[in-house]
Every structure is written in C-alpha cells, then in structure tokens.
Amino acid sequence: HSRAECCTQSFAGNGGPSALLSTARRQAMSIPPVTVKEVVSLTSAGINPQCISFTNLTMESEKFICVRETGTANSVVIVDMANPTSPLKRPITADSALMNPVSKVIALKANVAGTTQDHLQIFNIEMKSKMKSHQMPESVVFWRWISPALLGIVTNGAVYHWSMEGDAAPLKMFDRTPNLNGNQIIAYRASEDNQWFTLIGIAPGDPARPQLVKGNMQLYSVAQARSQALEAHAAAFSSHQVPGNTVKSQIVAFAQKTLQADGQITSKLHVIELGAQAGQTPFTKRQAELFFPPEFGDDFPVSMHISEKYGVIYVVTKNGLLFVYDLETATAIYRNKISNDPIFIACGAPSNGGLYAVNRRGQVLLINLNEAAVVPFIAGQLNNVELALSLAQRGNLPGAEALVTPKFDMLFNSGNFKGAAELAADSPKGVLRTKETIARFQAVPATPGQNSPLLQYFGICLQRGKLNAFEAVELARLVLQQNKKQLLDTWMAEDKLECSEELGDLLQQVDADMALRVWIKARVNPKVVSALASKGEFEKMGKYCEMADYKPDYTYLLQSTLMNNPQGAVNIAIMIGAQTPPPLDFNTVADLFLQRNMIREATSFLLDVLKNDLPEQAGLQTKVLEINLVTFPNVADAILGQGKLTHYDRPRVAQLCEKAGLYMRALQHYTDVSDLKRCCVNTHAIEPQALIEWFGTLSREWALECVKELLTVNMRQNLQMVVSICKEYTEQLTAGSIISMLENTKGCEEGLFFYLGAYVATSEDPEAHFKYIEAAAKTGQIKEVERITRESNFYDPEKAKVFLMEAKLPDARPLINVCDRFNFVGDLTVYLYQNNMMRYIEGYVQKVNPSNAPYVVGALLDQECSEEFLKNLILSVRSLLPVGPLVEEVGKRNRLKMLTPFLEHLVSEGSTDSQVHNALGMILIDSNSNPEHFLTTNEHYDSKVIGKYCEKRDPNLACVAYKRGNCDLELVGVTNKNSLFKLQSRYVVERMDQDLWAHVLADDNPHRRQLIDQVVSTALPESKNPEQVSVTVKAFMTAEMPQELIELLEKIVLQNSAFSNNPNLQNLLILTAIKADKTRVMDYVNRLDAFNGPEVGEIAVGNELYEEAFAIFKKFDLHVDAMKVLLESIEDVERGAEYAAKVDLAEVWSQLAKAQLATDVSGAVASYIKAQDSSDYSAVIDVAKGCDDYDALVKYLVMVRKKVKEARVDTELCYAYARIDSLADLEEFIAMPNAANRATVGDRCFDEGLFEAAKVLYTADSNWGRLASTLVKLHQFQAAVDAARRDNNSRTWKEVCFACVDEGEFRLAQLCGLNIIVQADELEEISDYYQQRGRFQELLALMEAGVGLERAHMGIFTELGILYAKHRPEKLMEHLKLFSTRINIPRMIRFCEEMAAWKELSFLYIAYDEFDNAAGVMMMHPDAWEHVSFKDVCVKVANVEVYYKALTFYLQDHPTQLNDLLAVLTPRIDHTRVVDLMRKAGHLPLVKPYLVAVQNANLTAVNDAINQLSIDEEDFQALRQSIDMFDNFDQMSLALRCEKHELMEFRRIASYIYQKNLRWKQSVELAKKDGLFKDAMEAAAHSGDRAIAESLLKFFVEEENKECFAACLYTCYDLLRPDVVFEIAWMHGLMNYATPYVIQFMRDYTGKVDSLVADKKERNEEKVTAHKEAQEQQMNQNMYAQLLPAALPAPGMESGRHPGMQQQQSPQHMGSQQGYMHPSAGGGGY
C-alpha cells in the first residue's frame, strides 16, 4: 500500500486523521479505498497478443470483448465476460467489429475494394442471420454503440446515427468541428436522453512538447443544433439530483491536459451542467486539478466513466494511472497506478459501480470502490467527513456509523428534528433507523399546530423509500389510532411498508383482507392458511402452500370443511393429491368422503389423483369404478369411456358392468370367449355401432364364433347386424370364411346375397362375383343378376353363360349381357333360336348391339333360318348394320346376291359408304354387267379393294381401278406380273412422282430394263409435256444411271425434237458426259451452243478437264477465266504470255504479273507496269525484299506512288533508297511531302548498320535520342552529347555516358552523369557502372558535383556517404553532420555497421530517433561514447532494460559519473531494481545522493537502503527522520538490527519501531532494559493491554521506584484494575502514592452506578407497559378462538378435552395453551 499512501498524502494535505478514530479505524485506513483485480487474461484465453490493441479490440459494455485476429486466417473472437474461458471464434474478415452492449448482435465494418467507401453490416449471432446492411459513401473512422439499439458512426466530415431496428439508412446528426481535423477519434459519448453528444480526438503535440498528445473535444447540443470546440482528452455524461429540484440536472465531465504558453502543463477536471432549466437550482460548476507525478509528465487521460451507483468519476490514463473524484464536489478521492502496461480502452460496469480497463498485456482489470474501506479512508486519511458521509448515503456504504451518530445527536439535541429525521432516513445501511430512534422521536412532545416529530420522521422515511418492519408497525398503530386506514391502503399499494406478522396482527382487527396480504408478504404461513380456509379460497390456499413450501394440517382442514363446504373439501383433497409426496393417504381421504356418503365428491377426488394412471394406483382405480358401478352406473360408464384408467381389476369390473347392464363395457373387459358369447347376444341393450367396433378387437376365430352365436340365437333379429359385421371386418375374417359360414348356415341365402352385394363392390375375386350371380338368381333378384352381368368385369364368363343357360331364366337379358360382352354371339343366337326367343334376337340386333348383326345373320344362315326373316332382320337395322362384316359373313356362305336389294336401298338413300359400293362393284364384276363403266364412273368404291378383287378375274380392270385410285405400287405389281410394261411406262411418266420413279428404277427391280426401254422408245417420245420430261430426267439422275441418262438425252437433244435447243438439257448432257464419259465432252462443246458456258466451264475445271474448260471460256470470250486456266490449271506461263499479248487486256496482264512474281520479279514488275496495277504492292514489296532486288522495287514503287498514297509505299521506297545507298535520292525524297514512317526506317537502318542513312533520317525527324545512339556508333561523342542534351532523356544520357566512360571521355561522361543522377531510380545503376570498372575517383567527383545540383535528392547524399565510408572514411562524419536530414539513414546505418564506423553509427541512430540502438553502440564501442550525449540518449530510450545496462556500464567504466546519470534517469527507472543492482555490486554508498533524492517515493528497497546506510554511518538522527517520514520498509528487521546496536539512540529507535508495529511488550522490555521508564510507561499506555501495564507497575514496585509507580498509575489509568492497585499499594506501603488514583477511581465508579440506577428504572417502566399491551393483545386473540365450531377439536388441544371447556378458563390460562392462541407458541395455530 506504500504507493497508495504516497498518493493519498498529496490529496490529504497537512491534516491528519481525527483524534476520535480508534486504533481499529486506523488499521482500516491502511486498506486501499479502491480495489483492482484481474478478471480475465486475454492471452490465457487464446487471444493473439499482437491483436490486443486499440485498432483490433473493442469493449462496448461489461458483457463482451470483441477481438479481430488478423494474419493467415482472419477471424473475430468474442469473449463473454460471464464465461471468459470459452471464447467464441468465428471466421470473419472485417476492418472493425463491435458487440452489442446487451445482446449477441455484432456490427461489422469492411472497406469496399478499390474505393474509400465502407460497408456496414449487423448480424444476429444466435439467430445466424443478417439484420441490416448499408454502404457508407465515405470512410468510417470511428464507430461505437451509444445504446443497445443505436450505432454512432463518425466519418471524416460528420457524425451519423444508425438504428438497429427497421430498415432506415444512417441519419446524419451533425458535422465535425474544425478542431478535430487531422485527429484520431478515440471516443464518442451520448447523454442518457440523447440530447448531448461529445466527440473526442487526439493529435500530435505542439512542437515545443511533441510527446504530450493533444486532446480535442466537440460538444454538440441537439436542442440548440450547434457545437462547441473544447480541449479535452476524455469526457462522460451523467445526471445529478440537486437538492430541492424535481428534475435531475444533465452533467458533463471532461478532463484536459494542455501545454501553456509559458511551457507549463495544466491538468484539469471540469464538471459542468448542460441546459440548465428555468426555475431549477443550477448545479455549481466544479473544477479540480489532475495531479500527474513527474514521471507521468507526458501521460494523458484515455477514458472517463461516471459511476451512477456511487456518484464518483473514474479517470484512466494511458500509462495506467487511476484518478477517482467525487461527482458533486469534484473532490479528489484517490490516485494510484493500476497497470504497468499502457491502457488503451475502458468501459463502465453499471452492475457493480466500477469500470473495466484493458492493457496491452491483455489483462482485463476491474476497478471498483472498496465499500468496506472507502468511507473510513475519506473520513480519516482525507479528513473530509462531509464527503465521507455524502458518499456513504449515496452508495449505502458501511463505515459511517461513527460519523452519523454524533451528528444525529447534535441535530436532535438542538431541536432540529426535521434535520435529524432526514439524517436518520438517509443513514447508510439504516444504522439510525432503529427502535431507539423511534422511541426518541416518540418521547418528544408535539408542538401545537404542527406535526409531531415522529410523523415528520415517518414522512421523510416514506419519501426516501420503504419503512422497515418496526417502523411500519409503529406508523400503522399511529394511523389506526387516527382512523385513517386509507393511508395504509395507499402505502401498501406503493410498497412503502415492510410486512411482518406483527403488522398483520395489528391490521386483523380492522381489515382482514389487508392483514392477509401482509401475512402473505411476510410469509406468516399458519395465519395465511387459516385465513384462506376460513374464506373458502382453497385454490389460492393450495397455490400459496406450494409457493411457500408450507405443509398445513390437512386432516383437520378436511374434517372442518366437509360438513360446511363439500366442494371446498374436494378442492383441499385435490390439493393434497397434487403434492409429492402427498401428506395424507389417498384411501384415507376417500374414506372420509365415503363415510359421509359423498360418492360424487369422493369420485371427483379420486379421478383427480388418478389422472396420471400409475400402476401402484390399481386398487384406487378399482375402488372408484366399484362405487360408481353400484350406485351410478352412468358415471362409471363415462369414466371407462375416457380410457384414462388402465390398471384396475378388469375381471371384477367386467362382472359389475354385466350386472349393471353395461354389456358393451363387459365385453371390453371379459377375456374368455364363453363370457363374450354370453354378453354379445344382448344386442337389444348394445349400441350397434359400438358392437361392430368391438368385433374389430377380437381374433378371427373368436369373432366367427360370436357371429355364429348371433345367427344361432336369433337369426332374424341379428341378420342385419351379422351382415354389417362381416362387411366391416372382411379383411380380418377373410371373405372365404364368411362366405363358407353363410353358405353352411341353413336359411341364410339372403344374408349371403346381402354380404356379397357389398363385397363384390370392392373385390375382384371371380368366384365371389359368380357366387353373387348365383345368390341373386336363387333369391329371384333378376334385376340384380342383369346388373352384375352387365357391370362386373371379374366373373368367369364361361361359367356364368353355362349357369344362366341351365337356369333358363324367364328374362334372357342376363345371358345376352354375358354373351354380348364376351363374344358368345353365336352361342347366344343358337340358344335363342332353339328356344324360340326370336323377339330377343330382334331386340339384341336392333337395340343392344347392331354391330354384331352380321354374326347373328351368319349363325342364322347356319341354322337354315328362312331368307325372308333374314332380309327383314337386315332391313330393320338398315344403316346401323356394318356392311363390311355382313358382306364377309354372307360371302363366306355364297349368298352375296341376297344383299342386292339391301345395297340398292342404301345407294338410293344416298349412301357413300365405300363398303356398300365395293359390294355392288363385286356383284357387277361377277355378273359381268358392264364393269368398266362402273369402275370409271363410280367415285365411292375403294380402288385397292376392287383392284385386288379384279386381279385374278381381269388384270386390265384391276389397272383401271388402281389408276383411278393412284395405287402406284399395286399397279406396278400387277403390270409386272402380267408384263404390261408399255402401260406401266406411260403411267409412270404421266404420274410424275419421284417416289414412284425411285421404286421402279431401283437396282433390285428385275423389270427395270424393260421399263427403261419402253420409256425411251414409247412413253417419253409421245409426251409433249416439258414437266414430264424434266421429272423423268431428274428421276434418272437421282437413280444415278448416267449411261441410260445420256442415251435418253441424246434421243431428246441431238435428234430433232421439241426439246433440242433446251439449255437445261444441253447443260445436263454435257455435265452427264463430264461425269460418266469425259471423251464425249469436247464433241458436245463443239456441237452445242445453248449451254451455260461460265458454269459448265467451272465444272469442267473442277473435274480437271482444263483444255475443255479453256475451249469453253475462249468460245464464250471469257479471257480472264481462260488466262486463269492457263496459269493456274495448265501452269503454262509462256502460253499465258502469248495469250496476254494476243488479247492485250490490263486484267490479263495483272494475272500474268501475279504468276510471274514468284519466279521472275523483273518480268512481274514489267507486267505490273503494263497493267498499271498497284493493288499488289504489298506482295511485290515482300517478294522484292526477299530477293534483295531493291532496284526493281524502286521502279515499281515509283509507279505505285503515283496511284496510291499509302504510308507503307513511302516507307518502303525510303528504305529502298537507303539500301541501294542512294542518299541523295533519299534526302530529296525526305524533303518532298511524303507519308513514310521515317522513325521505323531509321530504326531498321540503325539495326542493320546503315548508320549514315539512319543519321539522315533521325536528323530529319529530330529524334535526338536515336540520333545520339547513332552518333555514338559513329564515335562522334561531342555531337552525341549535344543530341542527348536536346533529347534530355535518362536512357539517352546513360547510353552516351556509358560509351564515354568506356572510351575514357570522363569530362563528357560527367556532363551526362549529372543529368542522370538527379533521377533517383537511375543513381544506383550509374554508381555500379563506375565501380565495376574501378572508376572510384571519377565517381566521387561526379557525386560531389551532384550534391550541388538544384535537383539533388536524398539518394545522391546517401550514395556519397556510402562512397565516403568505403573510400574516404575521414570525410564521412563531416558529410553526415552537414546532410543528416537529407540522407537515407536506415541504409546509411547498414553500411556504417559493415564498415565499423561506430561513432558515425551512433550519430545516425540518434538522428533517426533510435535511441536504444544508439545507447547500445556507445556501450559496446567505447570510442563512440561521450557522457553528455549518452545522457541525452538515455532519457529517450523506449526499452527500460537499457537503463540498467547503462548503470552497469557506468559502474564498470565511469563510476564517478554514475550519480549524474541517475539524476536524469530518476523519473524513469525502477528504484527497487537499482538498489538491488547496487547492493549486489557492493557499491550502495556510491549512489547515496541518488537514494536520498528518490526517497520521497517511499519505496521499501530505497528506505531499507538508506536506513542501512544510516546505521552503518551511525547517523541516528537521519535514521529517525527516515522512519518518521517514510514508513514503507521492513520494520521488524530494522528493529532487530537497532536493538542490538551499541548506541542507546538506536535502541530507542528499535523501541519506537516496536510501538509502531503494536509489539508493545518488546518495546516496554527494551525501554526497561535501558532505564527509559518514561518510554516504557507511554508504550504500556498506548498498548491498551492490561497485563503489560500491571506488569510494568509491579516492576516499579520491585525496583522500589515510587515516583515511577505514581506516574504509571496516572499514565495507565484506563488499563489498571482497582483491586490490583489497592492490593499492591497496601502490601508495599505505597498508599500515599496511590491516593490520587483512588480519588479518581471513586469519582468514576459513583457516576457509573448513578447511570445504571436511572437506566434500570426506565427499563422497568417499559416492561410494565409492554406487559399490559401483551395482555390486551392476547385477550383479543382469545375472542377469535371462541368463534371456532364446536364439532372439531382445535389444533394443539389435549385429546378428550371438550371445546366448551375453553370458555370457562381465565384469560391467563387461555394464554398458556400451547400452540392455540399465541402465535409465538409451538404446535402451530392460526
């Protein structure tokens, strides 16, 4: 605690602790008033230490810490402060992450790639869903949650608010003030009402003190819509209740640390009211000093939080200082260093009134007030009683008892009862709200016209909050005396009174309901249960007992309730049953109801307790069913119907159900088949549907037996039931079993019919369907037989047909249905004809199925039925009769002529049916009645049918029929079969059908040759239709028959015919010859003139008939095509030249030129010139260049340039001039207007070594860079430098420079180099080029000249420094000092290390602010050390270990200057470590000046060292001064060393130390030993130990030191016992010396006796008053006992005592009955 004490001394000033404080209080003051503990170690929780920083870690509330871990795998780690050992890690990549203050909602921010925009998102981690997202148009520099639903977002220009709810975008609140420009935003805070906001930023310090970070703040008011710029590092909002105001004041506190103009630093804390309201007492503005120790000169506040619980301000600084101030007065309470590592974030902890802080080591520290020590600390250490009392009242803190009681007494005794009442009401921990305080106020008489002090006290307590138990009783008693119970109602509603049993007893007399409420709140269980039972609110009573875990006497409650309130008794019983375990046996409870014949009530209770249907409740289940089956069978039926009871005795219940007539329930419980058969026949008493459902629970065998039993007992009555059962359970009982049973039961045919009628509707069993037909037929259900035969698809038709024919039913419709559906028409016709049922035959044909009439007619013909009947039958059907089948059936029997009248009748009616006309045609063909006329004129017959019919009778008639119907294949077939090829050829030519031609010309047609001959010789010559010829030719072509096609075409084209000059046919003939017979092509070309020459010529070329093609092109004057054939196909250039000369056309010459280009460039150029063709100049240029024939190329390009203005032409002409070395022509050409790309030509010339030509071209183009390169090649260096200067390009300069270096032209090289080294990127290359060639002096000269250039940059100075380090080290330091600000220091450092230039290296480290490395170099290399410089470096190093290395270095090498070094390091070093270091080295006296200077820090090690040096130097005064001023040392060790010292003053110091450490006995013994009796007596008096004082007194007696004996009696008066003093004085004759003590003792004793007598008298009076009140209260309670019913014994009374005896007892005896009247007695009661 030494650090804490040191800090608090600066706050306490010169004032010491109060003299009233006891030793225990002084000990309590040594406990720090603030506790600091580590609650979480983030590194131990797995957090990467590198990510514990302001940019990666956020803590928005005391619930969560959020850390962004970056690296190979980005993630976000969420530490729940309730469970910090199990952090939640999620793979999230974001620039910032904020956890919501109260819920698991996270806000994420990420930069949008390629922009300055940020994308914001809000995610619900538990729901795993995205809540909102928004893309900010500008970068977000800071953000935080300012409330659980609102985010504050800060950009470079403004502040926005973004609500988590809804879908609104961020709303702009205000713009940033200019004072925050360039600041790093570290905080954004909002007031509780969101009407005030502060934005905090930090910026680099002033140049005079750059280490002190500057803080800026913007304060914004929403109501005023304006901002104020302030200087502050941290700020916080709070609200404060100013006494007398109704509304709390809005407060802002902010801390600032600023550098004044005079260089002084001021640190202030300001507390200011915001928006003071009219009519309110304003809050007094407060200001306080923030005292920073010297070693924290550059420290600054980073966070501020206000504790609403305690009303204090916490300020935390970056370097770990904590300040605690009172909010109301801005008084400093505490300051201490809480962390050795920098703190970068903190947040308030409203749950405990403290705050959390996180440092760079990953420690999460909880800082809070030490409730047990803070009030004594403020009162004693700070000597601020008012602040201690105020803080204790605000935070309800302990430790203020000794402060508040005297003040209360003072106010009370002065008559300020209101002030005393307010003080008592606000007393911490309620120390003054006691019975004694109330008694004191009661004792004060009321002033007339004013409220009594007691009422004032109660009123103030009610304003402050809630009255305690005895206050509530006293106030209630006072209010009831004044008959103002409504006040109690109000206070109870507002929860202003603490409820107690005594208060309820008091209210019972006036308001039973209010008393009940009081007892419930006070948990006076017996009285609550009694009151609720008396009111009949049993449900509430049960709920209360369950809530309060109270078990009343339920037996008594039941007995007392049964007679008056049976339903209430049921409720109580149900409540008993709901408890686990139940307090009473359920059988007992049920018997209580049954003894009073309360069947319904017992049933209600039992059903409630049996609702869980437990196996162990089987007896109770049986019982409830038995009592109801005997008395109320309907109730039992309802219980069984619910199915909630399953464990009762089922056989017993089954018997009772049968006796009660509940046969259905009996069936459900019996398990023997005989019992089931006996009960199930009582169908008159069983609901049919229930019985049917019951059958579903039986096995197949038992169900069949019961069904048989039903049929046996009463078939007529039960038949319908049986059928219903069989229908319902066909699947379980199987249809076969049911049918077999019904068939075997005599007289049950009707039942079988009904069952099968339902069964076949869903069954596909053929046997079942047949049996149903049988059953219906046997029971006379003809209509059903007709229906099933018509509709069913599953019966066996053969069996059904046979059965119906054998049954000979009077109605033949069932048989007709079967035969018609299953194609038994012949059998049906024979059956009906043989049984003379002609009417049914006519009906079947006419109405049922006319389509089967042909088969009926056929069957009747087979039965030799009369033809007249058949004709009439056919005519009766007419158009419904299908003619085709009829003709077929009649034709089979050779009776077709019989149909003539019928067919003619149909034709006369206008029938167009092809079958009708087919039949008529067949009849005419057979009768040979002019069939040709019919075949050519009739439009309705089917050609294929008639043709087929005629093929064997007359093929010509068949061809007529086929031709009429375009039956191609049939006609070809019949003509082939009968060799009618001429007829076939004519038909095919006339038909003009390609498919038909393909068929007849197919390779597999054996008659193809005969057909072709007839086509060529007959059919085609006869044709005059061009289309027919065209189709025929096309057919031959498609069939790929070239020879036949040529034969055909020669017949048509070469011989005189109508188609001889047809171009298409001539083309086709030539083309066919090209394809089939190339020898005929030339002949055809010469003989024919109408063909298409160009197309045919191209085809000929394609078929390699080049001469024929040339003849064709020549015949049609197509010279270009002809030349193309000669040159490309025949490849005869000479013939081409001759042909070109012959026709003399430009196009032909161009063709010839292109052909000559590959072999003869000159000839090609001549041909191009004759053709004046410039189109192929690109090809000519390429070929000429390939042949290196630039002379011919020049001629050609001169011609081309006259026609074409192309850049390439001019460019190639220019290059050609250069190649033939015609520089004069080149210069002349360049001087003329041209489009040549001279740069390209120049580059080509340069690359090919044509430097003179290149020089001409570059000069003409002013291409100075390339010109310089060319001049270098020509060794014209001066001209090259001039060209480079005009080009002014680094590449050019380098090229010229390097060439000059290589040639030894160093003057010109330096001129070039100076223009190069000003380019930083080129410097290294130049340096390397010079150094690789060993030109160091020239390079130094170049660099030295370069530093004087106007454009000299850092690289030149750095490179020169490196060169000096390598080649001229003596000039290095001078260069560094001159140009230290213009040198690349890190690079220079590396080279200095390599060259071992230590002094220069230390200089560079200092210049680069790397003071740690500079100090290390000085210590490692003595030639680099210099004392003054080393001191300056040491105070600036960042690594504290350097300090101690420096001390060791000085101790070894420069001990005389060690104290000088320590003087500058004092604010920065750990003094304890320094002491240890010096002690180990044995040179502690060497640093005594330093130790004396730092002793003010009150450190143990320093104090021990100085104390040791004082002992060694025998300087007891210095030692005593050190002990008095600095108490932080090993006191016992020092005391032991001083005790053994030979000098007395040191032994006195040892005794003094023993006293300070409460080792009084050792102090006294040491003083006695040295004869320092005064010291011994003072030590004994201060010890407070009676034994020590009496032992010292005896010592003086033994030493016969009477004066010291008398002095000891005075000094130790409070500790010495009178009897011991009298005994010693009497025995040793020292009574005279003891007389003063005796006098004082007698005065004190008599005063105490008088006080005790007065106190006893007062207590006796209080006892008498209390006894009277107790008697009155007990009498009132006895009056309630007399109202109890006489039928039940009261709880707690002796068994056998009659209730009426109670009335004969005296009140005193009544009060002695245990557990009955007095609530405090044992045994229960009300």
Side-chain angles (χ1 to χ4, degrees), residues 67 98 167 463 630 671 1009 1219 1229 1244 1274 1281 1364:
V67 184
L98 303 176
D167 55 357
Q463 291 178 2
V630 174
T671 58
R1009 185 68 253 180
R1219 285 301 301 268
F1229 174 78
R1244 289 168 64 183
L1274 296 172
V1281 172
Y1364 279 149

Side-chain angles (χ1 to χ4, degrees), residues 654-667:
Q655 293 174 1
L656 292 174
C657 288
E658 187 176 2
K659 291 179 181 179
L662 300 177
Y663 297 108
M664 192 64 247
R665 299 298 178 192
L667 288 172

Side-chain angles (χ1 to χ4, degrees), residues 981 984-985 988 1000 1007-1015:
F981 298 113
Q984 181 180 350
S985 65
V988 172
V1000 299
H1007 308 287
R1008 183 175 67 171
R1009 185 68 253 180
Q1010 293 89 329
L1011 175 64
I1012 293 173
D1013 293 342
Q1014 292 299 323
V1015 170

Side-chain angles (χ1 to χ4, degrees), residues 1464-1490:
V1464 299
L1465 295 180
T1466 296
R1468 295 168 177 81
I1469 56 178
D1470 185 350
H1471 307 307
T1472 302
R1473 186 172 177 181
V1474 174
V1475 171
D1476 292 341
L1477 181 66
M1478 296 302 165
R1479 181 176 282 115
K1480 290 179 181 178
H1483 293 292
L1484 199 60
L1486 182 64
V1487 295
K1488 183 177 180 181
Y1490 154 75

Side-chain angles (χ1 to χ4, degrees), residues 1134-1257:
E1134 293 181 0
R1135 287 180 64 185
E1138 294 175 359
Y1139 188 75
K1142 181 180 179 181
V1143 299
D1144 194 22
L1145 293 175
E1147 296 85 353
V1148 177
W1149 283 114
S1150 295
Q1151 286 181 292
L1152 179 62
K1154 291 177 182 177
Q1156 292 174 331
L1157 188 61
T1159 57
D1160 184 8
V1161 177
S1162 299
V1165 168
S1167 297
Y1168 275 122
I1169 293 174
K1170 289 180 180 179
Q1172 289 295 301
D1173 184 4
S1174 62
S1175 60
D1176 293 334
Y1177 67 87
S1178 295
V1180 175
I1181 292 170
D1182 294 337
V1183 173
K1185 287 166 62 178
C1187 297
D1188 201 19
D1189 191 354
Y1190 287 97
D1191 291 322
L1193 182 59
V1194 168
K1195 297 176 183 178
Y1196 175 73
L1197 291 178
V1198 169
M1199 181 275 294
V1200 171
R1201 193 169 181 273
K1202 295 177 181 179
K1203 295 191 173 198
V1204 178
K1205 301 298 181 182
E1206 286 288 341
R1208 186 181 181 192
V1209 174
D1210 291 356
T1211 301
E1212 294 299 333
L1213 180 57
C1214 183
Y1215 178 71
Y1217 281 138
R1219 285 301 301 268
I1220 63 177
D1221 200 22
S1222 180
L1223 298 181
D1225 293 334
L1226 176 61
E1227 292 177 355
E1228 181 182 357
F1229 174 78
I1230 292 175
M1232 296 168 57
N1234 61 82
N1237 189 343
R1238 292 193 294 268
T1240 303
V1241 176
D1243 291 342
R1244 289 168 64 183
C1245 292
F1246 182 87
D1247 295 339
E1248 295 177 9
L1250 304 174
F1251 299 119
E1252 292 294 342
K1255 177 180 176 182
V1256 172
L1257 291 167

